[in-house]
Every structure is written in structure tokens, then in C-alpha cells.
């Protein structure tokens, strides 16, 4: 197989849809001699903020001299970035090698069991564990969970530390309709005798996470209790135990990014105190301050101003709106497209606070909603339909354009548009 053949085979797994549960993962990994048992992994879950928290951890560890693997989703610019080494996507040849190892195991799963075929996400997750657990071992692997935790494909290894960034009402058709339902799923990131850092704010969900950590003897580190972020304009002060780190200024915009950075800093301090790493605090802060993350409040053009952000649920839209108001202080045109299963009406009503005109479009994705379906989700006349969004972006001459709605949409925009 060549690289394109390998990608085609991986993407073809989408025919198996989303199938919660880890039995297929466990079966395939067992056939591969359980490479997931060989990694020193940090598990990062939550509704929003996972990707940037992973990026902060990776940057700080690499700056301190460690080799770090990361697993993230979805990809924004290239498929290979889902499995990255020190922030760089693995090579096409390595993707081919991994597929050649995993494909026969996947086929055996279908032929020899009643578990059914492995999904695309299960295949990629298996490839990641094989790569970092056997082919290219590293000092640390930072693993971003996919959908939930309890039945997520990543939930098959014993982490050295867990991070739960947030709990919001997303994927409610699978995870449940209340914050407590979702906490019960994502709370599965908490493992016995394993430190856990969390930024849960809903009171009912927070109580559940606190109780779960206590019952598992998992050392709890809670934002706004053990961890304090004092924000002032663009900078913030971080406090934890006897540590106080002042005048931290991130490249990543938004109050939520300060919280994500604080979670990463706490994880690094914890690993340092447990003598798992030797941490140079200056290098840690320099690295975290320098982090950028594609597709998150990313200014891709100055004149006219064009910003892209993969805000894909109510909580991430709220964070986006706050950032636009605080840093740009103006209304913008919005180009929006999204997929089924998202709280579209709530997202659009929130976005209307900072919108001049909302432009609806659609993109090539199995669950993408049509322009007409999107328009039915908001009661306003201030909308327009866009058939060719690439032409629209290239010819845009307004005061400011915000492109948002789905990370998958953002990925396609990045691939097809020259900024």
C-alpha cells in the first residue's frame, strides 16, 4: 500500500459509524501485544479545551528536553498531525507502516469475532498506541480523548495523570442530556490512585467528580479551589500551593485559554514534585506563552480581518464571543457551517450577538447540514446563503469575517483556501 491507499482504507472505516465501547480496541491491541501498556501517558478529556491543553503540555515538556508524542483530533491541516512527535506530524511512510500492521488485525477482528468492524477512530487510536508503544517509544504521550471517556477508544491505558478540562452539553445524543449524565461518562478519566486535574464548573457535575476522585483515592486538583487564576487584561497570575507565577501572557487569546494553561502548568508541577520530570520553570512558561493552536481564534488575514475558530458547541461559542468582544470589540460577518447533532439554534443565537450578517454554507462531510437546515435554526432576516465559500472568502472585502461552526469545516477551509 502507498500513502493514499492507506488513507483511503482508514477513511473507509467511517462506514462503521460511531460505536461506543472498548472491546474492539482491547481485542486489536491484545493481538498487537498490548503496546498501550508501554507508554507513560497523560490522558486529557473534556468538552472544550482539550487540544490547547495538550499543546501547552507538549510545548513545555519538549522545551524541557523530553520527547513527546501527542494524539489529537480532528486534524486541521494534515491527517498525519493526529499522531505527532514533538509537535511534528509523523511521516507518510510511517502512516503506511502502521496501516500495514493494523489492517490485518482489523480484518481478523471482523472475521473471527462478533464485535463487528473497527471504526475509523478506533483504527487511528490503535495506530497511535502501536507507534508510541513499540515503533517509536517516547518519554511521554499526551492522549486527547475523542467522544466522552467511558466508552472512548483512548480509554484503554493506565495514565500517570489525568486532566478533565470541562463538562458541557455536547454529543448529548450519545453522552446524555444533563451535565450529570456527561460527568458520569467523562468522569471515567479518573483512575484509582492517579492524580486528576479538573475544571468542572456545573455544581452537580462538580460534586460527582469530587466524590469520584475521593472514592478512587485520586489526588484532586481543582480549578478555582486548589488552582487559582487571577486575570488582568492580557496577562494572568497562576497560584497553586506555594507556587505563584506572575505576568503570564499567552499567544492564545481568551480567558478560557488562561484556564487551559493553568491546568497544564499544574500537571507539570505535579510531575515535577513526583520526580517524574525535572522542570525548568522559566522554560515551561516561555514554551506555554509561545503556543499557537491552529483553528482556535486564529487570525489568518489582517486586511480585511479574517478569523477562524472551530467553536462547535454552546460553551465554545460563548468563549469565542467573549474573546471577540474583549479583543476586537466589534461586530463581524460570520461564515457558518456545522454538522448534525450539535445545538445549532443555541450556537447561532449566541453568535448573533457579534454578527452583522450570518452567511450559511455547507461542506463535504457525511453529517454536514444544508444551508437551509441551518437557516431554520435562527429567527432573523440578517442571513445569506453562500454556495461557493472558497470564492466568498477569497473575494471578501468587509470589515471583518469570522469563520466558525465546526472543526471539520475549519479543516476543509484551511485545505481549500489560500490565506
Amino acid at each position: 500500500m502507498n500513502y493514499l491507499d492507506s488513507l483511503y482504507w482508514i477513511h473507509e472505516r467511517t462506514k462503521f459509524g460511531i460505536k461506543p465501547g472498548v472491546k474492539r480496541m482491547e481485542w486489536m491491541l491484545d493481538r498487537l501485544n498490548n503496546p498501550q501498556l508501554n507508554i507513560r501517558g497523560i490522558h486529557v478529556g473534556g468538552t472544550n479545551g482539550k487540544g490547547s491543553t495538550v499543546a501547552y503540555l507538549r510545548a513545555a515538556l519538549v522545551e524541557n528536553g523530553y520527547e513527546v508524542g501527542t494524539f489529537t483530533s480532528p486534524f486541521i491541516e494534515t491527517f498525519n498531525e493526529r499522531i505527532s512527535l514533538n509537535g511534528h506530524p509523523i511521516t507518510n511512510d510511517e502512516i503506511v507502516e502502521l496501516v500495514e500492521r493494523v489492517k490485518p488485525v482489523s480484518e481478523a477482528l471482523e472475521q473471527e469475532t462478533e464485535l463487528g468492524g473497527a471504526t475509523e477512530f478506533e483504527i487511528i487510536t490503535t495506530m497511535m498506541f502501536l507507534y508510541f508503544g513499540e515503533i517509536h517509544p517516547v518519554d511521554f504521550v499526551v492522549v486527547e480523548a475523542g467522544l466522552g471517556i467511558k466508552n472512548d477508544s483512548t480509554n484503554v491505558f493506565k495514565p500517570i495523570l489525568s486532566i478533565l478540562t470541562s463538562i458541557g452539553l455536547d454529543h448529548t445524543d450519545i453522552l446524555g442530556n444533563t451535565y450529570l449524565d456527561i460527568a458520569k461518562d467523562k468522569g471515567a478519566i479518573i483512575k484509582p490512585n492517579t492524580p486528576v486535574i479538573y475544571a468542572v464548573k456545573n455544581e452537580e457535575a462538580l460534586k460527582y467528580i469530587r466524590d469520584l476522585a475521593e472514592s478512587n483515592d485520586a489526588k484532586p486538583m481543582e480549578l478555582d479551589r486548589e488552582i487559582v487564576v487571577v486575570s488582568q487584561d492580557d496577562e494572568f497570575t497562576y497560584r497553586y500551593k506555594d507556587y505563584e507565577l506572575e505576568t503570564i501572557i499567552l499567544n492564545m487569546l481568551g480567558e478560557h485559554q488562561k484556564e487551559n494553561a493553568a491546568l497544564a502548568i499544574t500537571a507539570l508541577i505535579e510531575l515535577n514534585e513526583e520526580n517524574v520530570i525535572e522542570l525548568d520553570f522559566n522554560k515551561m512558561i516561555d514554551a506555554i506563552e509561545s503556543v499557537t493552536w491552529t483553528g482556535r481564534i486564529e487570525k489568518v488575514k489582517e486586511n480585511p480581518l479574517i478569523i477562524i475558530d472551530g467553536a462547535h458547541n454552546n460553551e465554545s461559542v460563548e468563549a469565542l464571543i467573549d474573546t471577540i468582544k474583549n479583543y476586537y470589540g466589534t461586530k463581524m460577518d460570520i461564515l457558518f457551517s456545522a454538522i448534525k447533532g450539535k445545538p445549532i439554534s443555541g450556537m447561532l443565537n449566541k453568535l448573533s450577538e457579534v454578527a452583522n450578517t450570518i452567511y450559511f454554507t455547507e461542506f463535504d462531510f457525511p453529517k454536514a447540514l444544508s444551508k437551509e437546515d441551518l437557516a431554520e435554526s435562527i429567527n432573523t432576516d440578517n442571513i445569506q446563503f453562500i454556495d461557493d465559500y472558497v470564492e466568498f472568502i477569497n473575494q471578501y472585502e468587509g470589515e471583518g469575517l469570522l469563520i466558525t461552526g465546526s472543526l471539520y469545516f475549519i479543516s476543509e477551509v484551511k485545505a481549500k483556501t489560500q490565506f
Side-chain angles (χ1 to χ4, degrees), residues 102-352:
V102 172
K103 186 172 183 283
V105 176
S106 172
E107 291 171 345
L109 172 72
E110 291 183 57
Q111 296 165 4
E112 299 176 21
T113 78
E114 297 180 353
L115 297 172
T119 67
E120 178 181 20
F121 191 74
E122 289 170 337
I123 292 295
I124 300 165
T125 308
T126 303
M127 290 167 57
M128 176 272 296
F129 282 127
L130 179 61
Y131 185 76
F132 293 124
E134 180 184 320
I135 293 173
H136 193 122
V138 293
D139 296 312
F140 299 98
V141 186
V142 188
V143 179
E144 178 189 337
L147 201 164
I149 298 290
K150 183 178 181 180
N151 294 302
D152 187 67
S153 305
T154 63
N155 197 32
V156 291
F157 75 105
K158 176 76 166 72
I160 60 172
L161 183 145
S162 301
I163 300 176
L164 185 57
T165 58
S166 66
I167 287 178
L169 298 179
D170 198 5
H171 299 294
T172 53
D173 54 330
I174 296 173
L175 302 181
N177 293 312
T178 69
Y179 285 97
L180 181 58
D181 289 337
I182 294 176
K184 288 179 178 179
D185 186 290
K186 293 184 185 290
I189 202 168
I190 297 173
K191 302 298 190 294
N193 304 301
T194 303
V196 59
I197 302 164
Y198 51 93
V200 178
K201 296 185 178 180
N202 175 269
E203 289 186 11
E204 195 174 22
L206 179 57
K207 183 181 185 306
Y208 177 84
I209 295 299
R210 284 174 174 169
D211 291 345
L212 189 61
E214 182 178 359
S215 65
N216 278 276
D217 291 320
K219 179 181 178 180
M221 288 156 278
E222 180 182 312
L223 186 71
D224 297 332
R225 188 170 67 174
E226 285 85 7
I227 308 161
V228 177
V229 173
V230 182
S231 181
Q232 184 176 7
D233 298 326
D234 293 345
E235 64 186 53
F236 71 99
T237 296
Y238 166 91
R239 295 188 184 126
Y240 172 66
K241 293 183 177 178
D242 294 329
Y243 299 93
E244 181 169 280
L245 306 174
E246 298 181 309
T247 322
I248 303 173
I249 304 175
L250 303 175
N251 258 331
M252 302 275 280
L253 300 180
E255 294 300 306
H256 59 298
Q257 291 299 347
K258 297 172 183 177
E259 296 183 351
N260 296 336
L263 300 182
I265 292 169
T266 307
L268 294 159
I269 289 175
E270 179 67 16
L271 294 174
N272 185 64
E273 289 197 341
E274 294 298 319
N275 296 314
V276 177
I277 61 174
E278 292 185 13
L279 185 64
D280 182 314
F281 277 66
N282 289 326
K283 288 181 178 179
M284 172 184 70
I285 295 302
D286 287 346
I288 286 174
E289 287 184 328
S290 68
V291 165
T292 58
W293 195 237
T294 301
R296 276 73 168 186
I297 318 284
E298 181 184 3
K299 183 164 65 174
V300 293
K301 193 171 182 181
E302 186 74 48
N303 189 18
L305 175 66
I306 299 180
I307 295 169
I308 61 175
D309 186 87
H312 54 283
N313 53 47
N314 284 326
E315 289 80 9
S316 58
V317 166
E318 287 175 359
L320 170 60
I321 291 169
D322 287 343
T323 305
I324 294 296
K325 288 179 177 178
N326 291 337
Y327 289 88
Y328 296 97
T330 183
K331 289 194 172 185
M332 303 181 70
D333 293 321
I334 294 175
L335 178 64
F336 185 92
S337 193
I339 62 175
K340 296 175 183 176
K342 296 294 182 177
I344 303 299
S345 181
M347 293 167 65
L348 288 171
N349 282 315
K350 293 176 191 299
L351 284 169
S352 65

Side-chain angles (χ1 to χ4, degrees), residues 345-364:
S345 181
M347 293 167 65
L348 288 171
N349 282 315
K350 293 176 191 299
L351 284 169
S352 65
E353 296 177 23
V354 293
N356 287 319
T357 300
I358 299 179
Y359 296 90
F360 291 120
T361 191
E362 51 200 66
F363 65 109
D364 185 18

Side-chain angles (χ1 to χ4, degrees), residues 362-380:
E362 51 200 66
F363 65 109
D364 185 18
F365 190 77
K367 297 193 296 179
L369 289 164
S370 69
K371 300 184 292 291
E372 292 75 16
D373 285 340
L374 293 170
E376 289 178 1
S377 299
I378 186 170
N379 185 22
T380 179

